[in-house]
Amino acid sequence: MASASETLCGVCETQHTVREANFWCSECDEGLCSSCEKHHRASKASRNHEVISVNNYQKLPSTIASINQYCSDHEKKYQHYCSQHEKLCCPLCITRNHKTCDFIEIDDIVKTSKTSPLFDIMEQSLKDMKSNIGIIVEDRRQNLEMIHKQRQTLQTDVQKIRDKINKHLDKLQNEIQQDIQAAEQKIQSQIQRLLSKCFDHEKSLDELQKNIFATKSFATDLQTFLGGKMFETEIQKEDSFMQSLIEDGTLQQMDLQCKIDDKLSNILSMTKIGDISVITKPPTITLTMARDKQAQLMLPTIPKKINDINLTLFKTFDISKGNRYLLITGCTIMPSGEMVFIDRSSSNILIYNENALFECEIPISLCPIDVTCIDENTVAVTHNAEPCHIEIINIANKTIVKRIKTSNMCYGITNNAGRLVYYETGSGIKTVDVTNESTINTVVKVDAIHHWNYVTSSKDKIYHTNSDTDTVTCYTVIGQKFWEYKDESTLKPIRGVTIDNDSNVYVAFYGNDHIVVLSPDGKDVRKLGGDHGINCSYGIHFDQGRNILLVTNMHGKAFLYYI
């Protein structure tokens, strides 16, 4: 493969002549000078080759320019496209690696490739994505402005609270200081009154000492005798005064104390004024998303009839962990390729990645039955134990998001454009909006108490398996019966159900080593996979994006097929 920067004529080079190329032939994979291009255009072998100027060739992306029209393994020209493996095939590829595959001739594909709406859609998608980027940038800018204003508001609020606290503490401080001063003044008054009394009694004692001394020195014996009795009475009075001071607590030591309110201690023990958190809310913008499966527009669609369907087994693996007993009753495939299994025995969701490697298990409510994908991270699970409900589970963070209350036990469940379609015993087929569980509607009323009924749906149809009557019934989305297929020899005992991209209906069975496919009108039936050891299957799911059928053995074996 010559690189885009090499612009020499390949034909001339083989003749040891160096000449600049003016044209490029992708089929020949070489440059051509003007003279060689004329011969190239005139030659029968190359006159239909698509030739472009070297200038235009150099404008091609390297990934496009490097696409070769010849098989690198067999050096034969590609002639067919295998839609099953999405690969170009030469004749040897077909005979050696794709014997049982379905093919489309390349000429049938490429003749409409440039007129296909794919590139218009992709260009529009790019415009939409650029517009989305602009919307996102503006939305984030506005969010930053709002956060800046919120920061200022919160800081102002904190300062206001601080100011209020300061004012309140100042007020309390003034009040306590006044109380301290008043207590001090009260004690001062009490002590001053006591001191005043003490001073008065001290004078009386001084006077008694003086009188006793004078009496002893100058009075007659009679005066001294009688005076002594008088002095004794006065001294007893003074002694009674002293005794009263001790007994009435007047001489107790007085201290000032201040007991701080416990609430203030709580404030002092605070380590922070508050907690700051970031709260997320649903987006306020709507993005225009790229169309799904755009590349399929490049290929003509060829609906498969049931006689053309072959199960190509490409992987089997064990779901069981160790020797633990399992009861797998439901399965689904996520957009990421992760596979989700319901283990009724342990009441767990088991998650395996697209390479069939175990990732995790998530505990859920008792007796789970079936599971369906809601979006890339969320599944819905039915239960047939009290309290009756459907669980919405985020498998990314392993949490139960919500529980939708139901009237009775539930079995099969599927997701149809945001509405859950499920079978409820004693009621029939019901629907409920994922975001508004109050809007539960009965699509098909069934009064009998049936168990192990499964459902699946397309945009305009609902398919229902009844294990009691061994039937598959197709309804419109408003509950009108479209067709019903009943054959006990073929369908007994029936369990899970799924549909492929062509509305062919696949059903699984308990105790049988095969699955059955029904035509979209319910008139034709065919058994498949009888030699693969499926046996005892409840769960079955068709991944319409990958053309893969997942079938589960209830005791822990999984089978992946190309359809």
Side-chain angles (χ1 to χ4, degrees), residues 481-515:
K481 184 185 290 187
F482 193 62
W483 56 260
E484 183 172 274
Y485 185 88
K486 178 177 176 64
D487 184 350
E488 291 187 7
S489 64
T490 304
L491 300 182
K492 189 173 183 177
I494 195 169
R495 288 294 186 266
V497 61
T498 189
I499 61 169
D500 65 14
N501 293 315
D502 300 314
S503 296
N504 298 303
V505 184
Y506 300 77
V507 290
F509 299 89
Y510 170 70
N512 285 322
D513 192 21
H514 64 266
I515 62 173

mmCIF file of all heavy atoms in Angstrom, residues 481-515:
data_model
loop_
_atom_site.group_PDB
_atom_site.id
_atom_site.type_symbol
_atom_site.label_atom_id
_atom_site.label_comp_id
_atom_site.label_asym_id
_atom_site.label_seq_id
_atom_site.Cartn_x
_atom_site.Cartn_y
_atom_site.Cartn_z
ATOM 1 N N LYS A 481 -55.985 -9.494 20.770
ATOM 2 C CA LYS A 481 -55.284 -10.708 20.370
ATOM 3 C C LYS A 481 -55.029 -10.697 18.870
ATOM 4 O O LYS A 481 -55.949 -10.518 18.060
ATOM 5 C CB LYS A 481 -56.085 -11.940 20.765
ATOM 6 C CG LYS A 481 -55.348 -13.259 20.464
ATOM 7 C CD LYS A 481 -56.205 -14.484 20.742
ATOM 8 C CE LYS A 481 -56.415 -14.669 22.239
ATOM 9 N NZ LYS A 481 -57.108 -15.952 22.525
ATOM 10 N N PHE A 482 -53.752 -10.918 18.503
ATOM 11 C CA PHE A 482 -53.361 -10.907 17.094
ATOM 12 C C PHE A 482 -53.294 -12.338 16.565
ATOM 13 O O PHE A 482 -53.784 -12.643 15.496
ATOM 14 C CB PHE A 482 -52.012 -10.205 16.949
ATOM 15 C CG PHE A 482 -51.643 -9.860 15.544
ATOM 16 C CD1 PHE A 482 -52.418 -8.992 14.796
ATOM 17 C CD2 PHE A 482 -50.523 -10.416 14.950
ATOM 18 C CE1 PHE A 482 -52.077 -8.678 13.489
ATOM 19 C CE2 PHE A 482 -50.169 -10.110 13.652
ATOM 20 C CZ PHE A 482 -50.957 -9.230 12.913
ATOM 21 N N TRP A 483 -52.649 -13.217 17.327
ATOM 22 C CA TRP A 483 -52.650 -14.647 17.022
ATOM 23 C C TRP A 483 -52.270 -15.425 18.271
ATOM 24 O O TRP A 483 -51.733 -14.879 19.227
ATOM 25 C CB TRP A 483 -51.726 -15.007 15.852
ATOM 26 C CG TRP A 483 -50.277 -14.584 15.974
ATOM 27 C CD1 TRP A 483 -49.706 -13.507 15.393
ATOM 28 C CD2 TRP A 483 -49.235 -15.241 16.714
ATOM 29 N NE1 TRP A 483 -48.376 -13.430 15.708
ATOM 30 C CE2 TRP A 483 -48.052 -14.494 16.516
ATOM 31 C CE3 TRP A 483 -49.158 -16.380 17.498
ATOM 32 C CZ2 TRP A 483 -46.836 -14.846 17.092
ATOM 33 C CZ3 TRP A 483 -47.953 -16.739 18.081
ATOM 34 C CH2 TRP A 483 -46.807 -15.973 17.869
ATOM 35 N N GLU A 484 -52.548 -16.723 18.226
ATOM 36 C CA GLU A 484 -52.188 -17.604 19.325
ATOM 37 C C GLU A 484 -51.760 -18.952 18.756
ATOM 38 O O GLU A 484 -52.386 -19.477 17.840
ATOM 39 C CB GLU A 484 -53.362 -17.794 20.289
ATOM 40 C CG GLU A 484 -53.026 -18.668 21.508
ATOM 41 C CD GLU A 484 -54.148 -18.681 22.527
ATOM 42 O OE1 GLU A 484 -54.177 -17.774 23.382
ATOM 43 O OE2 GLU A 484 -55.008 -19.580 22.444
ATOM 44 N N TYR A 485 -50.663 -19.465 19.303
ATOM 45 C CA TYR A 485 -50.174 -20.778 18.855
ATOM 46 C C TYR A 485 -50.213 -21.734 20.040
ATOM 47 O O TYR A 485 -49.717 -21.419 21.122
ATOM 48 C CB TYR A 485 -48.738 -20.674 18.325
ATOM 49 C CG TYR A 485 -48.234 -21.970 17.738
ATOM 50 C CD1 TYR A 485 -48.439 -22.279 16.404
ATOM 51 C CD2 TYR A 485 -47.556 -22.884 18.548
ATOM 52 C CE1 TYR A 485 -47.985 -23.476 15.864
ATOM 53 C CE2 TYR A 485 -47.102 -24.084 18.019
ATOM 54 C CZ TYR A 485 -47.319 -24.380 16.678
ATOM 55 O OH TYR A 485 -46.874 -25.575 16.155
ATOM 56 N N LYS A 486 -50.827 -22.925 19.791
ATOM 57 C CA LYS A 486 -50.945 -23.922 20.857
ATOM 58 C C LYS A 486 -50.594 -25.289 20.276
ATOM 59 O O LYS A 486 -51.159 -25.714 19.264
ATOM 60 C CB LYS A 486 -52.363 -23.948 21.430
ATOM 61 C CG LYS A 486 -52.579 -24.998 22.528
ATOM 62 C CD LYS A 486 -53.987 -24.896 23.076
ATOM 63 C CE LYS A 486 -54.255 -26.004 24.105
ATOM 64 N NZ LYS A 486 -53.398 -25.866 25.300
ATOM 65 N N ASP A 487 -49.637 -25.953 20.917
ATOM 66 C CA ASP A 487 -49.254 -27.306 20.516
ATOM 67 C C ASP A 487 -48.529 -27.942 21.698
ATOM 68 O O ASP A 487 -47.345 -27.689 21.930
ATOM 69 C CB ASP A 487 -48.348 -27.269 19.284
ATOM 70 C CG ASP A 487 -48.009 -28.674 18.782
ATOM 71 O OD1 ASP A 487 -48.321 -29.653 19.489
ATOM 72 O OD2 ASP A 487 -47.422 -28.779 17.691
ATOM 73 N N GLU A 488 -49.249 -28.749 22.476
ATOM 74 C CA GLU A 488 -48.674 -29.311 23.697
ATOM 75 C C GLU A 488 -47.461 -30.181 23.411
ATOM 76 O O GLU A 488 -46.528 -30.253 24.220
ATOM 77 C CB GLU A 488 -49.739 -30.117 24.447
ATOM 78 C CG GLU A 488 -50.846 -29.250 25.038
ATOM 79 C CD GLU A 488 -51.786 -30.053 25.916
ATOM 80 O OE1 GLU A 488 -51.487 -31.242 26.168
ATOM 81 O OE2 GLU A 488 -52.806 -29.500 26.349
ATOM 82 N N SER A 489 -47.453 -30.826 22.264
ATOM 83 C CA SER A 489 -46.321 -31.695 21.942
ATOM 84 C C SER A 489 -45.059 -30.894 21.666
ATOM 85 O O SER A 489 -43.947 -31.402 21.795
ATOM 86 C CB SER A 489 -46.660 -32.558 20.721
ATOM 87 O OG SER A 489 -46.857 -31.744 19.568
ATOM 88 N N THR A 490 -45.240 -29.630 21.276
ATOM 89 C CA THR A 490 -44.090 -28.783 20.935
ATOM 90 C C THR A 490 -43.744 -27.812 22.046
ATOM 91 O O THR A 490 -42.564 -27.567 22.334
ATOM 92 C CB THR A 490 -44.371 -27.989 19.648
ATOM 93 O OG1 THR A 490 -44.697 -28.893 18.606
ATOM 94 C CG2 THR A 490 -43.164 -27.153 19.242
ATOM 95 N N LEU A 491 -44.730 -27.240 22.695
ATOM 96 C CA LEU A 491 -44.515 -26.125 23.613
ATOM 97 C C LEU A 491 -44.493 -26.514 25.093
ATOM 98 O O LEU A 491 -44.295 -25.645 25.939
ATOM 99 C CB LEU A 491 -45.602 -25.062 23.402
ATOM 100 C CG LEU A 491 -45.682 -24.433 22.007
ATOM 101 C CD1 LEU A 491 -46.767 -23.363 21.977
ATOM 102 C CD2 LEU A 491 -44.352 -23.830 21.602
ATOM 103 N N LYS A 492 -44.704 -27.743 25.449
ATOM 104 C CA LYS A 492 -44.818 -28.101 26.856
ATOM 105 C C LYS A 492 -43.485 -28.559 27.420
ATOM 106 O O LYS A 492 -42.806 -29.362 26.780
ATOM 107 C CB LYS A 492 -45.850 -29.211 27.008
ATOM 108 C CG LYS A 492 -46.216 -29.520 28.455
ATOM 109 C CD LYS A 492 -47.358 -30.515 28.506
ATOM 110 C CE LYS A 492 -47.786 -30.772 29.944
ATOM 111 N NZ LYS A 492 -48.934 -31.676 30.029
ATOM 112 N N PRO A 493 -43.107 -28.128 28.649
ATOM 113 C CA PRO A 493 -43.666 -27.017 29.453
ATOM 114 C C PRO A 493 -42.950 -25.703 29.120
ATOM 115 O O PRO A 493 -41.733 -25.596 29.268
ATOM 116 C CB PRO A 493 -43.370 -27.443 30.882
ATOM 117 C CG PRO A 493 -42.129 -28.285 30.766
ATOM 118 C CD PRO A 493 -42.092 -28.889 29.388
ATOM 119 N N ILE A 494 -43.669 -24.717 28.691
ATOM 120 C CA ILE A 494 -43.114 -23.484 28.141
ATOM 121 C C ILE A 494 -42.693 -22.517 29.246
ATOM 122 O O ILE A 494 -43.272 -22.491 30.331
ATOM 123 C CB ILE A 494 -44.149 -22.830 27.195
ATOM 124 C CG1 ILE A 494 -43.485 -21.772 26.324
ATOM 125 C CG2 ILE A 494 -45.321 -22.266 27.976
ATOM 126 C CD1 ILE A 494 -44.380 -21.285 25.209
ATOM 127 N N ARG A 495 -41.648 -21.703 28.974
ATOM 128 C CA ARG A 495 -41.167 -20.710 29.942
ATOM 129 C C ARG A 495 -40.893 -19.367 29.240
ATOM 130 O O ARG A 495 -41.791 -18.707 28.796
ATOM 131 C CB ARG A 495 -39.903 -21.217 30.657
ATOM 132 C CG ARG A 495 -40.165 -22.342 31.654
ATOM 133 C CD ARG A 495 -40.999 -21.885 32.837
ATOM 134 N NE ARG A 495 -41.120 -22.923 33.856
ATOM 135 C CZ ARG A 495 -42.116 -23.773 33.943
ATOM 136 N NH1 ARG A 495 -43.087 -23.747 33.030
ATOM 137 N NH2 ARG A 495 -42.176 -24.652 34.923
ATOM 138 N N GLY A 496 -39.613 -18.982 29.098
ATOM 139 C CA GLY A 496 -39.259 -17.643 28.632
ATOM 140 C C GLY A 496 -39.537 -17.419 27.162
ATOM 141 O O GLY A 496 -39.686 -18.356 26.367
ATOM 142 N N VAL A 497 -39.567 -16.130 26.759
ATOM 143 C CA VAL A 497 -39.867 -15.757 25.382
ATOM 144 C C VAL A 497 -39.075 -14.510 25.007
ATOM 145 O O VAL A 497 -38.822 -13.644 25.852
ATOM 146 C CB VAL A 497 -41.389 -15.529 25.186
ATOM 147 C CG1 VAL A 497 -41.885 -14.396 26.094
ATOM 148 C CG2 VAL A 497 -41.717 -15.221 23.731
ATOM 149 N N THR A 498 -38.657 -14.432 23.746
ATOM 150 C CA THR A 498 -37.963 -13.249 23.232
ATOM 151 C C THR A 498 -38.193 -13.173 21.729
ATOM 152 O O THR A 498 -38.669 -14.149 21.114
ATOM 153 C CB THR A 498 -36.460 -13.297 23.564
ATOM 154 O OG1 THR A 498 -35.847 -12.049 23.238
ATOM 155 C CG2 THR A 498 -35.757 -14.404 22.782
ATOM 156 N N ILE A 499 -37.878 -12.040 21.098
ATOM 157 C CA ILE A 499 -38.050 -11.889 19.646
ATOM 158 C C ILE A 499 -36.779 -11.313 19.052
ATOM 159 O O ILE A 499 -36.012 -10.630 19.728
ATOM 160 C CB ILE A 499 -39.248 -10.977 19.299
ATOM 161 C CG1 ILE A 499 -39.054 -9.573 19.870
ATOM 162 C CG2 ILE A 499 -40.557 -11.575 19.768
ATOM 163 C CD1 ILE A 499 -40.048 -8.566 19.349
ATOM 164 N N ASP A 500 -36.549 -11.599 17.743
ATOM 165 C CA ASP A 500 -35.372 -11.057 17.075
ATOM 166 C C ASP A 500 -35.742 -9.825 16.264
ATOM 167 O O ASP A 500 -36.878 -9.315 16.348
ATOM 168 C CB ASP A 500 -34.693 -12.130 16.212
ATOM 169 C CG ASP A 500 -35.558 -12.596 15.042
ATOM 170 O OD1 ASP A 500 -36.562 -11.928 14.715
ATOM 171 O OD2 ASP A 500 -35.218 -13.654 14.445
ATOM 172 N N ASN A 501 -34.813 -9.346 15.472
ATOM 173 C CA ASN A 501 -35.032 -8.120 14.702
ATOM 174 C C ASN A 501 -36.102 -8.274 13.634
ATOM 175 O O ASN A 501 -36.644 -7.280 13.132
ATOM 176 C CB ASN A 501 -33.717 -7.681 14.038
ATOM 177 C CG ASN A 501 -32.695 -7.254 15.055
ATOM 178 O OD1 ASN A 501 -32.997 -6.527 15.987
ATOM 179 N ND2 ASN A 501 -31.455 -7.722 14.897
ATOM 180 N N ASP A 502 -36.405 -9.532 13.239
ATOM 181 C CA ASP A 502 -37.400 -9.790 12.201
ATOM 182 C C ASP A 502 -38.712 -10.282 12.780
ATOM 183 O O ASP A 502 -39.549 -10.841 12.057
ATOM 184 C CB ASP A 502 -36.849 -10.817 11.208
ATOM 185 C CG ASP A 502 -35.574 -10.331 10.536
ATOM 186 O OD1 ASP A 502 -35.553 -9.166 10.098
ATOM 187 O OD2 ASP A 502 -34.599 -11.108 10.482
ATOM 188 N N SER A 503 -38.896 -10.085 14.100
ATOM 189 C CA SER A 503 -40.130 -10.462 14.812
ATOM 190 C C SER A 503 -40.373 -11.967 14.845
ATOM 191 O O SER A 503 -41.505 -12.410 15.053
ATOM 192 C CB SER A 503 -41.350 -9.742 14.212
ATOM 193 O OG SER A 503 -41.244 -8.352 14.374
ATOM 194 N N ASN A 504 -39.319 -12.768 14.627
ATOM 195 C CA ASN A 504 -39.428 -14.192 14.892
ATOM 196 C C ASN A 504 -39.411 -14.398 16.402
ATOM 197 O O ASN A 504 -38.656 -13.735 17.125
ATOM 198 C CB ASN A 504 -38.266 -14.948 14.247
ATOM 199 C CG ASN A 504 -38.266 -14.813 12.736
ATOM 200 O OD1 ASN A 504 -39.247 -15.147 12.076
ATOM 201 N ND2 ASN A 504 -37.171 -14.302 12.189
ATOM 202 N N VAL A 505 -40.241 -15.316 16.882
ATOM 203 C CA VAL A 505 -40.456 -15.488 18.326
ATOM 204 C C VAL A 505 -39.737 -16.749 18.807
ATOM 205 O O VAL A 505 -39.948 -17.836 18.275
ATOM 206 C CB VAL A 505 -41.957 -15.590 18.649
ATOM 207 C CG1 VAL A 505 -42.180 -15.660 20.158
ATOM 208 C CG2 VAL A 505 -42.715 -14.411 18.056
ATOM 209 N N TYR A 506 -38.876 -16.590 19.845
ATOM 210 C CA TYR A 506 -38.120 -17.702 20.407
ATOM 211 C C TYR A 506 -38.651 -17.996 21.805
ATOM 212 O O TYR A 506 -38.835 -17.076 22.602
ATOM 213 C CB TYR A 506 -36.630 -17.366 20.499
ATOM 214 C CG TYR A 506 -35.983 -17.041 19.171
ATOM 215 C CD1 TYR A 506 -36.177 -15.791 18.578
ATOM 216 C CD2 TYR A 506 -35.171 -17.961 18.524
ATOM 217 C CE1 TYR A 506 -35.590 -15.479 17.357
ATOM 218 C CE2 TYR A 506 -34.573 -17.653 17.306
ATOM 219 C CZ TYR A 506 -34.790 -16.414 16.733
ATOM 220 O OH TYR A 506 -34.205 -16.102 15.532
ATOM 221 N N VAL A 507 -38.898 -19.286 22.102
ATOM 222 C CA VAL A 507 -39.409 -19.650 23.420
ATOM 223 C C VAL A 507 -38.534 -20.745 24.020
ATOM 224 O O VAL A 507 -37.991 -21.597 23.312
ATOM 225 C CB VAL A 507 -40.887 -20.112 23.368
ATOM 226 C CG1 VAL A 507 -41.791 -18.953 23.064
ATOM 227 C CG2 VAL A 507 -41.068 -21.220 22.342
ATOM 228 N N ALA A 508 -38.390 -20.703 25.355
ATOM 229 C CA ALA A 508 -37.580 -21.661 26.095
ATOM 230 C C ALA A 508 -38.490 -22.603 26.869
ATOM 231 O O ALA A 508 -39.664 -22.298 27.123
ATOM 232 C CB ALA A 508 -36.641 -20.920 27.050
ATOM 233 N N PHE A 509 -37.920 -23.755 27.286
ATOM 234 C CA PHE A 509 -38.723 -24.787 27.921
ATOM 235 C C PHE A 509 -38.025 -25.353 29.144
ATOM 236 O O PHE A 509 -36.803 -25.456 29.190
ATOM 237 C CB PHE A 509 -39.010 -25.927 26.932
ATOM 238 C CG PHE A 509 -39.776 -25.469 25.729
ATOM 239 C CD1 PHE A 509 -39.101 -25.008 24.613
ATOM 240 C CD2 PHE A 509 -41.153 -25.455 25.733
ATOM 241 C CE1 PHE A 509 -39.793 -24.557 23.514
ATOM 242 C CE2 PHE A 509 -41.854 -25.008 24.635
ATOM 243 C CZ PHE A 509 -41.176 -24.557 23.517
ATOM 244 N N TYR A 510 -38.836 -25.734 30.116
ATOM 245 C CA TYR A 510 -38.336 -26.426 31.296
ATOM 246 C C TYR A 510 -38.362 -27.929 31.024
ATOM 247 O O TYR A 510 -39.410 -28.509 30.740
ATOM 248 C CB TYR A 510 -39.202 -26.097 32.506
ATOM 249 C CG TYR A 510 -38.907 -26.954 33.713
ATOM 250 C CD1 TYR A 510 -37.716 -26.810 34.402
ATOM 251 C CD2 TYR A 510 -39.815 -27.912 34.143
ATOM 252 C CE1 TYR A 510 -37.432 -27.591 35.497
ATOM 253 C CE2 TYR A 510 -39.540 -28.704 35.239
ATOM 254 C CZ TYR A 510 -38.348 -28.541 35.911
ATOM 255 O OH TYR A 510 -38.072 -29.326 36.998
ATOM 256 N N GLY A 511 -37.196 -28.576 31.086
ATOM 257 C CA GLY A 511 -37.142 -30.016 30.920
ATOM 258 C C GLY A 511 -36.917 -30.480 29.501
ATOM 259 O O GLY A 511 -36.907 -31.678 29.239
ATOM 260 N N ASN A 512 -36.725 -29.556 28.542
ATOM 261 C CA ASN A 512 -36.479 -29.938 27.157
ATOM 262 C C ASN A 512 -35.126 -29.413 26.700
ATOM 263 O O ASN A 512 -34.686 -28.348 27.114
ATOM 264 C CB ASN A 512 -37.564 -29.384 26.231
ATOM 265 C CG ASN A 512 -38.855 -30.162 26.362
ATOM 266 O OD1 ASN A 512 -38.841 -31.374 26.511
ATOM 267 N ND2 ASN A 512 -39.978 -29.455 26.336
ATOM 268 N N ASP A 513 -34.492 -30.153 25.794
ATOM 269 C CA ASP A 513 -33.159 -29.809 25.333
ATOM 270 C C ASP A 513 -33.210 -29.055 24.006
ATOM 271 O O ASP A 513 -32.442 -29.328 23.094
ATOM 272 C CB ASP A 513 -32.324 -31.087 25.176
ATOM 273 C CG ASP A 513 -30.845 -30.760 24.980
ATOM 274 O OD1 ASP A 513 -30.438 -29.650 25.355
ATOM 275 O OD2 ASP A 513 -30.118 -31.612 24.442
ATOM 276 N N HIS A 514 -34.129 -28.108 23.895
ATOM 277 C CA HIS A 514 -34.225 -27.335 22.662
ATOM 278 C C HIS A 514 -34.976 -26.036 22.943
ATOM 279 O O HIS A 514 -35.528 -25.848 24.035
ATOM 280 C CB HIS A 514 -34.961 -28.135 21.573
ATOM 281 C CG HIS A 514 -36.393 -28.439 21.928
ATOM 282 N ND1 HIS A 514 -36.765 -29.619 22.540
ATOM 283 C CD2 HIS A 514 -37.540 -27.710 21.787
ATOM 284 C CE1 HIS A 514 -38.075 -29.607 22.744
ATOM 285 N NE2 HIS A 514 -38.560 -28.465 22.303
ATOM 286 N N ILE A 515 -34.948 -25.145 21.980
ATOM 287 C CA ILE A 515 -35.827 -23.973 21.994
ATOM 288 C C ILE A 515 -36.668 -24.041 20.725
ATOM 289 O O ILE A 515 -36.371 -24.803 19.791
ATOM 290 C CB ILE A 515 -35.035 -22.650 22.050
ATOM 291 C CG1 ILE A 515 -34.156 -22.497 20.817
ATOM 292 C CG2 ILE A 515 -34.223 -22.554 23.316
ATOM 293 C CD1 ILE A 515 -33.477 -21.144 20.733
#
